């Protein structure tokens, strides 16, 4: 199973970006999907998550500005990022709990990370 993230880049404060993360491989089903971010010297923190049924959860710092969604037919999760702030600058990682055709339970998989830089 591979998760391929894309959509990062450089944007001015107040701007928008849309991150995508597509899962591929011998996937039987995907449970929760989410986005995390990490800055140098700090722990990776959860940003947003979405269940297979569409229930979402957000970190307080991004509520009202970032929106997570998914396309189950495409095994893809998105993160729409609006009203970006310099403190949103980080490497963003996608995460998915995947059951393959060879496993009995859901296992966590991670994307490679995509850099988001917000200039002031």
């Amino acid at each position: 199973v591979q998760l391929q993230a894309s959509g990062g880049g450089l944007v001015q404060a107040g701007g928008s970006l849309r991150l995508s993360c597509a899962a591929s491989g011998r996937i039987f089903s995907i449970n929760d999907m989410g986005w995390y971010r990490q800055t140098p010297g700090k722990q990776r923190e959860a940003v947003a998550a979405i269940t297979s049924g569409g229930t979402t959860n957000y970190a307080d710092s991004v509520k009202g500005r970032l929106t997570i969604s998914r396309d189950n037919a495409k095994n893809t999760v998105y993160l729409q990022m609006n009203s970006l702030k310099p403190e949103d600058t980080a490497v963003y990682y996608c995460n998915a709990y995947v059951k393959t055709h060879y496993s009995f339970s859901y296992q966590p998989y991670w994307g490679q990370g995509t850099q988001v830089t917000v200039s002031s």
Side-chain angles (χ1 to χ4, degrees):
V1 175
Q2 290 187 327
L3 270 62
Q4 182 67 45
S6 61
L10 173 65
V11 64
Q12 288 189 330
S16 298
L17 284 173
R18 189 189 194 212
L19 306 183
S20 300
C21 177
S24 61
R26 292 189 171 272
I27 296 169
F28 180 74
S29 67
I30 301 177
N31 200 349
D32 294 354
M33 304 182 83
W35 289 93
Y36 291 69
R37 65 188 181 187
Q38 189 170 22
T39 54
K42 293 189 176 182
Q43 275 192 319
R44 191 173 296 186
E45 64 171 353
V47 175
I50 184 168
T51 68
S52 57
T55 300
T56 58
N57 197 11
Y58 296 93
D60 288 342
S61 60
V62 306
K63 284 180 180 177
R65 301 187 299 114
L66 275 56
T67 302
I68 189 170
S69 61
R70 64 191 284 173
D71 185 333
N72 291 331
K74 295 181 179 180
N75 291 333
T76 300
V77 62
Y78 306 96
L79 187 67
Q80 178 65 43
M81 310 171 71
N82 298 328
S83 302
L84 283 163
K85 303 176 181 180
E87 50 264 43
D88 293 318
T89 295
V91 177
Y92 284 72
Y93 297 90
C94 57
N95 165 266
Y97 282 81
V98 180
K99 183 185 290 186
T100 69
H101 291 280
Y102 305 105
S103 64
F104 292 106
S105 62
Y106 290 94
Q107 300 296 321
Y109 291 86
W110 291 90
Q112 82 284 10
T114 183
Q115 177 71 46
V116 172
T117 303
V118 184
S119 63
S120 57

